[in-house]
């Protein structure tokens, strides 16, 4: 039986939120290796995620890498039609915000891309949680085929107090 977070409803965007720290997209194949905030109090996986600089970075987990969505906690959704994580900061209407995404993609100032080899589907969740419990909590499953991807972030202001952080995951140019 599928949990609510595993059910995909066409046209419905699922948002994931963090209690206070970064979100992480961990390949399903290595979920058991992510300990979250559990473990050694001076060097937990969560602490490692908090130390990743910038808005998007890669962090070793098992024999691969996970994508850390850093900076500030923000509600985050994955839009597969754009290969894009959308992070909203004090934005107004979700419907209006999502409708604006296609128009801002060309105008966004994208940071240099990171190279990421992905072994298959990902699970996006609060980095403080252990991977073995991630699918039992607030999460989104991201369907990615195994391969090489480029990851790039951009910030798009949407007024004096609102904005979008975009993290694009697309086929690598290399």
């Amino acid at each position: 039986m599928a949990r609510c977070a595993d059910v995909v409803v066409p046209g419905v965007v699922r948002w994931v939120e963090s209690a206070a720290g970064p979100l992480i997209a961990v390949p399903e194949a290595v979920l058991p290796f992510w300990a979250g905030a559990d473990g050694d109090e001076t060097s937990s996986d969560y602490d490692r995620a908090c130390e990743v600089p910038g808005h998007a970075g890669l962090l070793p987990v098992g024999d691969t890498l996970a994508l850390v969505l850093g900076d500030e906690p923000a509600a985050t959704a994955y839009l597969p039609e754009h290969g894009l994580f959308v992070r909203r900061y004090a934005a107004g209407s979700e419907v209006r915000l999502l409708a604006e995404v296609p128009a801002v993609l060309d105008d966004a100032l994208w940071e240099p891309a990171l190279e990421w080899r992905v072994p298959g589907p990902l699970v996006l969740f609060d980095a403080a949680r252990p991977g073995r419990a991630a699918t039992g909590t607030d999460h989104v499953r991201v369907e990615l085929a195994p391969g090489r991807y480029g990851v790039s972030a951009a910030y798009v202001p949407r007024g004096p107090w609102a904005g979008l952080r975009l993290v694009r995951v697309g086929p690598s140019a290399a």
Side-chain angles (χ1 to χ4, degrees):
M1 183 166 135
R3 292 180 182 90
C4 289
D6 295 328
V7 177
V8 176
V9 179
V12 174
V13 175
R14 288 207 17 87
W15 295 88
V16 175
E17 296 194 38
S18 163
L23 294 174
I24 189 162
V26 177
E28 279 183 335
V30 296
L31 270 176
F33 297 103
W34 183 259
D38 293 349
D40 185 341
E41 62 188 57
T42 60
S43 61
S44 70
D45 284 343
Y46 175 75
D47 292 328
R48 292 188 315 125
C50 289
E51 292 171 2
V52 171
H55 303 288
L58 300 174
L59 186 67
V61 177
D63 63 355
T64 190
L65 298 172
L67 175 63
V68 176
L69 301 177
D71 193 28
E72 326 174 2
T76 302
Y78 181 73
L79 305 180
E81 64 275 20
H82 299 292
L84 194 68
F85 289 97
V86 176
R87 310 193 75 206
R88 64 180 182 187
Y89 296 88
S93 161
E94 175 184 324
V95 172
R96 192 176 82 216
L97 175 141
L98 292 171
E100 292 175 357
V101 168
V104 302
L105 290 177
D106 291 333
D107 296 332
L109 298 175
W110 296 96
E111 296 173 359
L114 303 171
E115 183 74 26
W116 187 23
R117 183 176 297 275
V118 175
L122 313 170
V123 178
L124 175 70
F125 59 99
D126 185 336
R129 300 204 181 277
R132 67 186 176 285
T135 59
T137 63
D138 188 21
H139 76 283
V140 168
R141 186 169 192 266
V142 177
E143 293 287 343
L144 286 183
R148 296 169 66 104
Y149 291 85
V151 176
S152 186
Y155 180 75
V156 180
R158 305 309 303 155
W161 304 106
L164 296 173
R165 172 75 51 198
L166 306 174
V167 179
R168 182 170 50 192
V169 178
S172 176

